[in-house]
Amino acid sequence: MSFPILTSLVLVPAVGALAVAVASNRRPEWIKLIAVLVSVFTGALAIWTVASFETADPGFQFVSKHPWIQQWGISWHVGVDGISLFMVLLTAILFPLVILGTDPHHDHKRYLAWLLLLEAGMMGSFLSLDLFLFFVFFEIVLVPMYFLIGGWGYDDRVYAATKFFLYTMVGSAFMLVGIIATAVLASSNGVGYVTFDLVEIAEKATFAASTGRWLFFAFALAFAVKVPLFPLHTWLPDAHTQAPTGGSVILAGVMLKLGTYGLLRFGLYLFPEAARWSRPLFLTLAVIGIIYGAIAATMQKDLKRLVAYSSVAHLGFIVLGTFALTTQAITGSVMQMVNHGVSTGALFLLVGMIYERRHTRQIAELGGIQKVAPIFAAAFMVVMLSSIGVPGLNGFVGEYLILIGSFLTARWWTVVAAAGVILAALYLLWAYQRVFHGEPDEHNRTFPELRLKEAAILLPFIGIIVFTGVYPKPMLDRIEPSVKALIAHVSDKTGYEEPAIPEAPQTNEGAQP
Amino acid sequence: MSPDTFTPPAVGWFALSPLLVLLGGGLLLMVLGALLPRWPRGLYAAFTATTAGTALVMSFVLWDDITDKGASTLVGGAIAFDGFAMFATIAICASVILATLVTDDYLRREEMDGPEVYVLYLMTAIGGIVMASAHDLIVLFLGLEVLSLAMYVLAASHRRRISSQESGLKYFVLGGFSSAFFLYGVALLYGGTGSTNFDGIIAAFNGSVLTDRRDALVLAGVALMIVGLSFKIAAVPFQFWTPDVYQGAPTPVTAFLASVGKVAAFGALLRVLVTALPMWRDDWRPAIWVLAVLTVVIGSTLAVVQTNVKRMLAYSSISHAGFILVAVEAAGHTAGETDPGLGVSSALLYLLLYSVLVIGTFAVVTLVGRTGDSDTGLDGMRGLGRSHPALALGMTVLLLAQAGVPLTSGFIAKFGVLQAAIEERSYAIAIIAMVASVIAAFLYLRIMISMWVAEPEAGDDAREQIRVPFSTGLAVALSVGFTLLVGFFPDWLVEASKHATAVVTSTP
Amino acid sequence: MLDLVWLIPALPLLGFLLILVFGRRLGDPKAGYLATAMVGGAFAVTVAVFFDMLSKTAEERAHVATLFQWVPVGSLQVDLAFLADPLSITMCLFVTGIGALIHLYAVGYMHGDPRFSKFFLYLNLFVFSMLMLVLGENLLVTFLGWEGVGTCSYFLISFWHERESAATAGKKAFVTNRVGDWGVMIAMFLAFQAVGTLSYGGINAAAESGALSQTTATAIAMMLFVGACGKSAQLPLYIWLPDAMEGPTPVSALIHAATMVTAGVFLMTRVNPVLAVAAEWAPTLIAIVGVTTALFAATIAVAQTDIKKVLAYSTVSQLGFMFLAVGSGAYVAAIFHMITHAFFKALLFLGSGSVIHGMHHEQDMRRMGALRKLMPVTAITFIIGWLAIAGVPPFSGFWSKDEILLYAFDKSPILYVVGLVTALLTAYYMTRQVIMVFYGKARWHDAHDEHGAHGDFEPHESPKIMLLPLVVLAGLSIVGGAMQLPFSDRLHFLGHWLEPVVEFGEADIYGGWGYQNKYLLLGVAAVIALLGIAASVAVYGKHKAKPVEPAILENAWYYDRGISNFMGGPGRRGFTAVAWFDAHVVDGAVNGVGRLVRGSAGVVRKAQSGYVRQYASAIGVGVVLLLVWFVVIRGIL
Amino acid sequence: MTALLAALPVPTTTWYLVLAALLFTIGAVGVMVRRNPLVMFMCIELMLNAVNLSFVSLAKQLGDIGGQTTVLFVMVVAAAEVVVGLGIVVAVMRRRPNATADDLVELKG
Amino acid sequence: MDLVVFVCAAAMVLVGAVGVIVRNHPVHAALSLVLTLFGVAVLFILQEAEFLAAVQVIVYSGAIVVLFLFVIMLLGVDKAENLQIEPIPVQRPLAVVVGGGLLAMLVTAIVQARDSVPTGVGAGIDLATQTGDSDSNIKQIATDLFGDRVFAFELLSVLLIVAVIGTVVLSRKPDKVGGPQ
């Protein structure tokens, strides 16, 4: 039995949260230190995981499985594959940066404790291979996020937090019923005994078409709310706008991915038939989300809200890729989850910095900042370009893979979705122009330049953005096998055939190396 | 049939030991309390807790006894001696202990210290246990009356608050009203079957000519008995007393009502429906279905607009009752069969977990309510997170548990019930219940907000300082600990609940 | 040697990085020299590669240099690789060459600007992207450069972003280009689906071997053309280019005249086999769009008063010529004209820049005149450029334009005629510009009235560092035609050089009537040019006739304004409607549910009246209902 | 005369049960319409008596003494109920003299 | 003969019952209650439940009603309540509907099941005639009571304890603190 690295990925932050919670309030700097150390250590663990990850192996790795509630056939079953690997890494990297980079202004102790608890929950959700376990984490993360928004958010925080909590809970209500029904029905459809183990059910059970569809929708509803998929998205702008910077970063960076990740891991994997059957619906919703989110974003007056709506559009791409069911598209989706996490997370950090300086997020009240704070503007620009999807930056690779993959199986949806790329440029550049270009008025003339600490926080983001854009291979190599395996699973469950691509002809030019 | 041929029934004294302990303890407390001068502070409570504790231990012993030797009935089939009964006994005794801890300081704070309340607690416990383990409708009715009468008194026991007496009076009138219905139901059933004993009822309808034809008399009896018990479990539309009584009664008593009362009432309901009336399960299951849906939906919905914490929790208890009714409905699919299914066990599990939860919650409310339960409004909670973070945190855990958030006992309870329902393919009711519980979650969120988020207002500091006495704090700590323990490691409890099946009269 | 091709883009990139890090410390003018040196170095490498390639046989001239796998997913295998072949090297030659000159010029032009080093930062990044574009071995690498140059042009157009107009122009350029990029993307997807690769080698091979169906080929070609329209400012997407003049003049010269805008033409040439196997109407459409744009822009140029706007529209017009060439299968001619145009248009822009510099940022030609005495060098070089673009033999413009017309004639006389008219107009408005700027009476003194800011001043000649590039480019504009002389096949240097690339798509006009009588056509062209000049002189020089400058032309046929009005009007309203819908309908539904719950609760709670008797009757109702169910429904029915 | 009387039909159990039902209903209605808590108790007593009546007649019909024993229990319960109930009323009345059930509506909503 | 008695007793019962709910004055209501109770007692005798009849008269009429009257006097709540006015809207109609429905349902059930009530399940009650033992009824009750029903019987004691404690708790003066001396 080797070192239970995944388990510790979950436990370390949890224990850290406990430590922070019990630590004495008189020495805030110690509390902060604990939090930082814990999160950094978690990050190190995650990096270790990635380092020792078997690249070519499509299956789950570092699996550890221990019975938990035998009466219900539930076990602590965690494992990581190419699809979840980078989610874990993203989580582990974002949290230290958030803890270092954001300032709650009051009740640091509680703030940090909640954050660490949130990290543990996130890790758990990405790692768990047991339906019950997944639901536990999926649901538990609501609590810290609820308190983060409610406790450290802005004026309308209570409304936003409550909306967020209840809206998501409605979704998971259906999912819980779905989960139990899945386990119960699976036991009579191939498994033979009641178990909540994802792998066992997915491999052994075969549901009747109609049953599978109902179950799938029970799951999909919860994920659709989380993603969020049009028209279930309206909790997101409120939550994002009202949440404290740290909250928004995590919310956009990691939490939304629970939805898309869930669709992959539990939608496609458990109910391939239903997923295929419902493709048109989801593709359409995704495309609507892309265009609609972009248009709505264009018209926002609140910078943070604008970014929030841009998330709706970006997540639309991810869903599109997920349901396109081709290697390129799904690989792109997985990659885009990470990319969106990085770039949107960075955007929220920057918006937060603007708010710290100007105490407003209203685009109208900003302007001319590039003149007084060029470096700040440059940082914003880079992140923005990655969000627009300019080649050479990470955003492009994912988006491009999604589109080129989707084009094979969902041509016309893709054609429309690609138009979303234009809109992305429109709303972001317009916002950029209004905020950074022009002559600064007297309020903005004193806008402070990027501070060293802030730069230190942003640098990793920009580093990832550029590196991933220029050299995505290491990432793709790890994602692809698992995606292939997933599609193979879909194929032999449903007889689905991934469209064949003609062999690239031998080029007459450049034949010689 | 003459005196010399008279043979008294065998009495399993040992098997009755929990009841006897409680009774003996109660009598002793009453007599000594009356004879001796005032006992030193906290001794009444200590004595009561010890008594209940002893009963608890006894029932643990008996539990093993049952799991070894199997279930049976006692005293001429008057009451059942089975896992079901013991599980309920354990739940009730535990509730009594916790409630006593909460009550101790409260009584002193409200200057009504004395043994009587505790004696009533113990008597109520007896009534509840009898209800949950009755094997004869008359016994069940008597248990019901013992429980009810004690609770009427308890509800009205706060002499300074007219609302306490008002709640007592309302509770009494409606309680008497509904128990009359119940009794009438018993009478009609008696007419239809010729017996009030479960075995008799089962026997009368097996092999006898009546099984193959409908019997309106019996059905009417069933209906009226459901009425009587639905009143006790506060199922819509028989729930109207609940908010008023919960709000009016002294807060610890409310906790006691919500825990012991619910366990006993549901125990009785399950006994009657599942053990005594399995042959009519197709008749009563739809009725329970409707009751469950109404209860869970209306309970959750009305909770949303409340501003008094006790009242909120009253409505939440209604919606919880609805959730348990879902389990009862599930039990209805397999009633009387050798494989009991998950309905009964999940209901019992829910009851146990909920009792602990709700006492903890009301314990906090007791403290925050301040002297004379004067400050039980939502504003009373304001700023608790600042002034008493630990207490607030405990309350938060309990509330989250009530909302059914994972890693708390509340989630385990809900999960069990849902599983039971889904095993029986009652998807609709499961989904309705879940959605309703989301609505209910709103009210827990409101309480949490006012504890943690709400901005302090002028005059907050002028309020009476909240004092956390040891006993109450202990109660909160215990229930929070239990909540989390079960939330993380529920396996043993789940297993136990599966053994907690009622004794089945073998049906040929 | 050919393996060093990666050095060509690497050097500007290095420059970019160096300036990024040390830019501020280097400052004005060192940063500028650094940047220039980098581009110059790239030029040197290119030349070396060029000669190396000359020494090889035609077959060996194509060479792929792979750096690393870029996006390898399943059947999609895209490398970050360069394709060094005659076409790309040709492009590199004039991109780096002219680029270096313009860098040098900019050192002088941007002198004293607070963001001096940043300017060269962008400029180097642009050159890098442009080189990626032309050197890319596959569509994706090209696309990387394609979007890169777009982004850089966005940076540079809105370089003076304090100016509202500059910021807006930059945004406009980016977004409009994105529309084109959309087309390129779709084209890539189609290509991948049809061929399974994105490399030009693969795609062209598929086209030549007939593996590519005509439909797909047409679709790919058309989608690429959409992209080309965006980049190369063709109808209907040209609107961003005139506004792009908000950028500093060197930018206009480098990006919006010489290099970036020609990317579309380059791309179409790159995939000429695809275009060749596409349906017949595809190239025709391209030709028509091209010639229409040419004429359209020329007419507008006639009435412009801003010295740079005239050049901008003339650029659009000349690009139209190039697409006319592409459409007529005259790829060599297209490239030929691209190069010559790069020479003289860069020259003209830099000249205008020098004028503007000398005039203290006055751009209105109506306030100029008689500058030839004050800025002799600028004047002379500008005049050379004028002669070149006007198509006066033997200047370079004449030869390239004529070859295009030759092919156009072969495709369809109508195209030829329209082309001629455009040529006429070109000569006309360019002459008009030269006269307004350098001849006539000095008009800058009576500028007091509104421009009080700069009233009394003497326009002065620009510094040497700015004049040097002018001279060099003037020289090139004169001799540039020698690349491809029509007289005999031996003199088709460029043609032979590019043959391996374009042979499949190149149209064959030998034996056509036009080719037989090419000298006649040559003469016609020359005459037309002179005619245009003469007319212009008559109007603006001798004032024989009133100038014809109708408002509709001055306002570019109201096309641009129409679009802006639409965007600001119905378009914006539509967007607002969506936002409203989201806030009030979608979100309203959500909050509506909440309100519904509260509301119904408010109603139901009224039953909780507190009257115990009412509670009792509620119980009674429950009893009756239950009894009905049990006794009646279950018991009796 | 006696013959006449003998000729009359003998009331069956059903008669008694119907009578009990009537009594029960009257009691129930009473609870709903009366405001004086004491009278409400009396109505509850009526209901209980109705139950007793049914029990007794059913006991006769069934020939099972259990019914009668049950009635005995019910009587005791009734007594106890009344004791407690009156206790509560006394407690209330001490605070709110002459209060009717309708006056006690502090708790509602 | 039985019929006559039954009719008279039924009349007493119903008249008394109606009296309870229509007499404004609580004392009158209590007295009408007595009427009902006596009627029930008569019906008990008619049903061969002599012992119960006795208990009925002694306990109910003797103890309970007296208790009622006593409390009425004690509290002086002998203020007549005006039944003409009904403060709560639709309460009376509702009560009528509910009452009607209830009665209808019950009667339906009873009538529908009139001949399905099993007979002779137990040993029979009418033993006085057989054994000639005049107090057989009491003996029978006793055997039953202390036989299988002994548990229930013991429960009664608990019930009474509760009642006692209850009265103690309730009847203490508000200001007095501590247990009863």
Side-chain angles (χ1 to χ4, degrees), chain E residues 37-50:
Chain E
L37 297 174
F38 273 115
V40 173
V42 174
L43 289 171
F44 280 177
I45 296 175
L46 214 55
Q47 298 282 308
E48 292 156 351
E50 301 81 2

Side-chain angles (χ1 to χ4, degrees), chain D residues 17-103:
Chain D
L17 290 180
V18 173
L19 174 62
L22 252 167
L23 185 53
F24 189 86
T25 314
I26 294 172
V29 173
V31 175
M32 293 184 232
V33 296
R34 292 308 295 253
R35 296 197 280 281
N36 185 328
L38 290 165
V39 182
M40 287 175 142
F41 294 172
M42 298 182 197
C43 294
I44 292 172
E45 294 301 324
L46 286 180
M47 296 165 82
L48 291 177
N49 272 280
V51 177
N52 286 352
L53 189 51
S54 335
F55 261 117
V56 170
S57 47
L58 285 168
K60 169 114 184 299
Q61 162 95 11
L62 295 162
D64 170 35
I65 196 69
Q68 293 195 3
T69 343
T70 309
V71 172
L72 203 57
F73 293 138
V74 177
M75 287 180 176
V76 181
V77 169
E81 260 191 6
V82 169
V83 168
V84 171
L86 292 178
I88 293 176
V89 172
V90 170
V92 175
M93 293 296 183
R94 200 185 279 139
R95 299 284 301 276
R96 306 269 304 274
N98 286 321
T100 71
D102 288 7
D103 303 338

Side-chain angles (χ1 to χ4, degrees), chain A residues 163 233 292 309 411 421 473, chain C residues 69 74 178 193 582 587:
Chain A
K163 192 175 182 179
H233 62 276
Y292 181 93
Y309 271 103
R411 169 171 297 188
V421 174
K473 190 168 183 298
Chain C
Q69 287 188 299
R178 271 262 160 163
Q193 189 169 22
D582 188 63
D587 198 19

Side-chain angles (χ1 to χ4, degrees), chain B residues 25-26 28-49 99-122 153-154 157 159-160 252-253, chain E residues 165 168-170 172 174-181:
Chain B
L28 209 60
L29 184 57
M30 176 174 73
V31 175
L32 297 181
L35 299 183
L36 304 177
R38 289 185 54 62
W39 295 11
R41 74 198 304 272
L43 204 55
Y44 297 127
F47 184 88
T48 318
T100 314
L101 288 175
V102 181
T103 315
D104 173 44
D105 177 76
Y106 177 85
L107 290 183
R108 249 175 279 118
R109 190 180 79 190
E110 306 293 324
E111 296 171 350
M112 38 194 276
D113 198 5
E116 300 83 359
V117 172
Y118 300 107
V119 180
L120 286 174
Y121 277 4
L122 293 172
V153 176
L154 285 169
S157 63
R159 293 184 309 282
R160 262 176 219 71
V253 171
Chain E
I165 305 277
V168 172
V169 172
L170 292 166
R172 279 184 308 181
D175 47 1
K176 193 146 121 282
V177 176
Q181 272 64 31

Side-chain angles (χ1 to χ4, degrees), chain A residues 186-272:
Chain A
S187 66
S188 56
N189 288 311
V191 178
Y193 47 92
V194 174
T195 176
F196 284 80
D197 190 285
L198 171 66
V199 183
E200 284 188 48
I201 294 177
E203 298 302 336
K204 294 185 193 160
T206 47
F207 301 106
S210 56
T211 326
R213 289 166 190 177
W214 281 115
L215 296 176
F216 173 74
F217 271 105
F219 280 79
L221 187 67
F223 295 138
V225 171
K226 201 79 158 185
V227 167
L229 208 54
F230 174 87
L232 304 175
H233 62 276
T234 50
W235 63 267
L236 177 119
D238 291 314
H240 273 41
T241 316
Q242 298 304 327
T245 303
S248 311
V249 174
I250 299 303
L251 192 57
V254 194
M255 208 174 222
L256 300 188
K257 309 308 177 302
L258 282 181
T260 46
Y261 172 80
L263 281 174
L264 267 176
R265 172 71 79 230
F266 300 92
L268 285 187
Y269 190 41
L270 275 179
F271 313 105

